[in-house]
Amino acid sequence: MTQKDITFVADFLTEHFNEAPELYNRKGKYFNVERVGQYLKDEDDDLVSPPNTEGNQWFNFLKDSTHLKESPLLFPYYPEKSLHFVKRQMEGIIDQCLQKPADVIGKSVHQAVCMSLYKISQSEDSTPQLFKLPFLWNDKTSNLHYILFTMLENSVSKIHILRRHTDTSRSVSNGILAVEFGNFLNNSINESSDSRYYSCLDAHFYDDETVTVVLKESVQQEGKERVLAQLPLS
């Protein structure tokens, strides 16, 4: 260490660790802790060295404002408390704000339809992820909800489209269907079905009438082909 380093440490100790007789009756250390660390302690005790708010423009502004001084919209300030204390206070208020909407929304949600997509063995310890890349789209013109998704394992070449009316009492034709890509890009009927086999990497609605899909060639080789395709819903 250089003499400059030693002086810096000595100055730090002198400034922050002087004995403070007025704190002897309080819980904790008998000296002023480092001013940043005290804000990070997870405890409800008051700060040993609270900040000096004198001259703070925001506090002066609130003090001079009749309407804002007692406004319930402003989060209360606790100059004597740590950030952990303030965080717990804020979390409690946020939870309280969200509880009522959660209750109302929860009671308004009900099951419109139930479809069995796949079955798994009850003996399996962990449920495999068979449902992939769900993408939601709302066609406001026709009042229809769409969900795009793929099923892994034995149907990676298919993309499934689920369609429901926004009015749950009404039904639509072809509520769910699957589009299989497979080997549709083969150049001739002489190519084997395994030579150009495609699976769906991703799918999103482009607009109300078109779906964009990213396809991957499934042949295990260098430079596998990728295809960006526009699929008309019709």
Side-chain angles (χ1 to χ4, degrees), residues 131-138 146-149 160 162 202-206 211:
F131 191 71
K132 188 186 176 189
L133 93 221
F135 178 77
L136 308 180
W137 180 265
N138 178 235
Y146 288 92
I147 303 178
L148 296 178
F149 62 93
H160 297 74
L162 173 64
D202 201 359
H204 282 229
F205 267 81
Y206 181 76
V211 176

Side-chain angles (χ1 to χ4, degrees), residues 96-116:
Q96 186 179 355
C97 292
L98 296 179
Q99 188 58 48
K100 186 67 175 177
D103 293 340
V104 173
I105 294 172
K107 291 175 182 176
S108 67
V109 173
H110 63 278
Q111 179 177 300
V113 65
C114 179
M115 295 182 181
S116 178

Side-chain angles (χ1 to χ4, degrees), residues 62-188:
L62 291 182
K63 194 184 302 181
D64 298 337
S65 173
T66 308
H67 301 289
L68 286 178
K69 191 185 302 182
E70 305 297 332
S71 173
L73 300 177
L74 291 178
F75 192 81
Y77 177 58
Y78 304 94
E80 306 288 333
K81 298 296 184 180
S82 72
L83 292 178
H84 279 282
F85 177 86
V86 176
K87 174 176 176 286
R88 284 196 299 271
Q89 293 289 111
M90 183 174 289
E91 286 175 341
I93 292 177
I94 292 175
D95 289 342
Q96 186 179 355
C97 292
L98 296 179
Q99 188 58 48
K100 186 67 175 177
D103 293 340
V104 173
I105 294 172
K107 291 175 182 176
S108 67
V109 173
H110 63 278
Q111 179 177 300
V113 65
C114 179
M115 295 182 181
S116 178
L117 296 178
Y118 57 85
K119 292 182 179 180
I120 60 173
S121 173
Q122 296 293 331
S123 61
E124 293 187 31
D125 295 333
S126 60
T127 304
Q129 182 194 10
L130 297 179
F131 191 71
K132 188 186 176 189
L133 93 221
F135 178 77
L136 308 180
W137 180 265
N138 178 235
D139 183 350
K140 295 181 176 61
T141 305
S142 304
N143 295 323
L144 293 173
H145 282 310
Y146 288 92
I147 303 178
L148 296 178
F149 62 93
T150 57
M151 305 286 289
L152 301 181
E153 304 298 327
N154 59 351
S155 58
V156 292
S157 64
K158 294 179 183 177
I159 179 174
H160 297 74
I161 304 177
L162 173 64
R163 179 171 65 175
R164 295 288 302 171
H165 203 282
T166 53
D167 181 356
T168 55
S169 63
R170 299 178 58 182
S171 61
V172 293
S173 59
N174 296 329
I176 185 171
L177 56 85
V179 179
E180 182 166 14
F181 301 101
N183 58 350
F184 78 112
L185 290 178
N186 284 0
N187 294 327
S188 70

